[in-house]
Amino acid sequence: ELITDLMCNGLDIPSAWKVPRLKLLLKVGSHLNKKNYRPITVIPVLSKLFSIFLHERSVGPVEQQKILV
């Protein structure tokens, strides 16, 4: 229902959904060497689900009406 409200009523996406977190993962080697870390961005699950939902809702009509040829 929240997603429908966001789409139909033009409500803003909650700011907590927009804030990604940066995590550093140790690849190999010493944890003291900063070159041994790889940064990854963790996005909120609700943001990802909302993106998937929007994609699914928009791709169908676009493909059916052959808007992007």
Side-chain angles (χ1 to χ4, degrees):
E1 187 174 305
L2 175 61
I3 292 176
T4 304
D5 285 344
L6 287 169
M7 291 192 63
C8 296
N9 299 329
L11 299 176
D12 289 331
I13 297 172
S15 61
W17 291 15
K18 299 177 186 178
V19 181
R21 289 180 290 168
L22 182 65
K23 296 287 183 179
L24 297 175
L25 294 180
L26 181 63
K27 295 187 286 187
V28 291
S30 172
H31 68 279
L32 300 174
N33 187 346
K34 64 183 177 183
K35 292 183 179 183
N36 291 337
Y37 287 90
R38 177 173 58 100
I40 63 164
T41 303
V42 180
I43 62 171
V45 172
L46 289 176
S47 176
K48 183 66 176 175
L49 291 175
F50 186 67
S51 297
I52 292 169
F53 179 78
L54 283 178
H55 179 265
E56 293 298 320
R57 295 268 314 231
S58 60
V59 167
V62 167
E63 288 179 348
Q64 286 177 351
Q65 296 179 18
K66 299 186 187 308
I67 295 172
L68 300 174
V69 181

